[in-house]
Amino acid sequence: QKEVEQDPGPLSVPEGAIVSLNCTYSNSAFQYFMWYRQYSRKGPELLMYTYSSGNKEDGRFTAQVDKSSKYISLFIRDSQPSDSATYLCAMKTTSYDKVIFGPGTSLSVIP
Amino acid sequence: EAGVTQFPSHSVIEKGQTVTLRCDPISGHDNLYWYRRVMGKEIKFLLHFVKESKQDESGMPNNRFLAERTGGTYSTLKVQPAELEDSGVYFCASSRASEDPYEQYFGPGTRLTVT
């Protein structure tokens, strides 16, 4: 079983839609939960992070962590064509700096 | 503030040859990481430097890979001899020493093709 599972998509939505991206994980030691956005031929860019459980909101983006279910989500409201990218969930423990990535979900927002 | 830079952006070599990838972290970042993404797989951690010291090299696949960070500034990752399965995108990331260890800033990557 992989440490982090993520539906690779591709996911295609119309502009203005609400997008829901999800990941599950198996390692209960993960405490930091991140979402990265990666455009084609670019490096991953940190969008949001959450420590332990709970919700975090930043503009059109909301990250949720449910440690009891080992499930994290990223919601994008009022999606824009510029949101078209691959979204990577990522996690780490407090003991090590290495980040464990999910395989990424490819998102296309159609004008 | 300049971001993480990597050189070259793309390298094509033959099996058995040697390739050296370079990473320049953000100025002032003591932590430097190497990751790679092979075709169809997720991005995987290779190793972590704190200044010039290797903090964690648990992700290095085998002894054909050698990473150095002389003087605690830029880092190189040498693959010798390269094999077909080494093809992929190699990312470098950096972060500050004592703040926000989860905020790793990634470079654009070096795309390595071994033929």
Side-chain angles (χ1 to χ4, degrees):
Chain A
Q1 182 187 11
K2 288 186 177 180
E3 281 194 284
V4 180
E5 303 271 6
Q6 183 177 9
D7 186 342
L11 184 61
S12 183
V13 302
E15 183 175 354
I18 296 175
V19 176
S20 172
L21 304 168
N22 311 292
C23 288
T24 58
Y25 63 94
S26 57
N27 188 349
S28 58
F30 288 140
Q31 291 282 11
Y32 290 100
F33 302 91
M34 291 83 78
W35 285 95
Y36 285 82
R37 177 175 62 195
Q38 185 177 19
Y39 292 113
S40 181
R41 304 285 176 165
K42 302 287 187 182
E45 169 196 12
L46 182 65
L47 266 180
M48 298 184 69
Y49 75 90
T50 309
Y51 175 72
S52 195
S53 283
N55 296 353
K56 188 170 186 177
E57 187 173 322
D58 184 1
R60 296 184 295 109
F61 299 87
T62 299
Q64 291 184 350
V65 175
D66 181 350
K67 291 190 70 181
S68 62
S69 301
K70 296 189 177 67
Y71 187 86
I72 71 170
S73 302
L74 178 71
F75 297 95
I76 307 174
R77 290 182 300 280
D78 188 26
S79 55
Q80 302 296 308
S82 58
D83 295 329
S84 298
T86 295
Y87 289 80
L88 305 157
C89 62
M91 306 168 192
K92 67 180 289 297
T93 69
T94 54
S95 302
Y96 301 98
D97 272 14
K98 67 179 178 182
V99 173
I100 309 300
F101 284 89
T105 298
S106 175
L107 171 68
S108 293
V109 180
I110 310 302
Chain B
E1 179 183 76
V4 176
T5 58
Q6 294 187 244
F7 183 83
S9 58
H10 192 187
S11 179
V12 181
I13 61 170
E14 292 183 354
K15 176 183 171 181
Q17 289 186 323
T18 298
V19 63
T20 300
L21 314 180
R22 173 171 170 144
C23 168
D24 286 79
I26 293 172
S27 178
H29 282 193
D30 287 341
N31 292 298
L32 187 149
Y33 313 84
W34 284 98
Y35 293 83
R36 77 171 177 177
R37 183 171 196 156
V38 297
M39 183 72 73
K41 302 282 190 180
E42 63 274 18
I43 297 173
K44 284 200 170 180
F45 169 84
L46 295 179
L47 89 161
H48 169 206
F49 284 100
V50 178
K51 297 186 179 178
E52 66 275 6
S53 298
K54 292 176 184 174
Q55 183 75 15
D56 180 358
E57 49 185 331
S58 62
M60 294 289 265
N62 52 61
N63 59 9
R64 295 186 295 102
F65 289 76
L66 174 64
E68 294 181 322
R69 193 182 182 193
T70 307
T73 53
Y74 71 91
S75 174
T76 58
L77 180 65
K78 180 190 287 188
V79 185
Q80 178 183 30
E83 298 288 347
L84 297 178
E85 64 264 25
D86 300 332
S87 295
V89 183
Y90 290 76
F91 293 104
C92 176
S94 71
S95 70
R96 293 186 185 278
S98 58
E99 301 173 10
D100 303 337
Y102 42 76
E103 290 213 54
Q104 296 180 16
Y105 297 87
F106 281 76
T110 292
R111 185 173 298 272
L112 175 64
T113 303
V114 183
T115 63

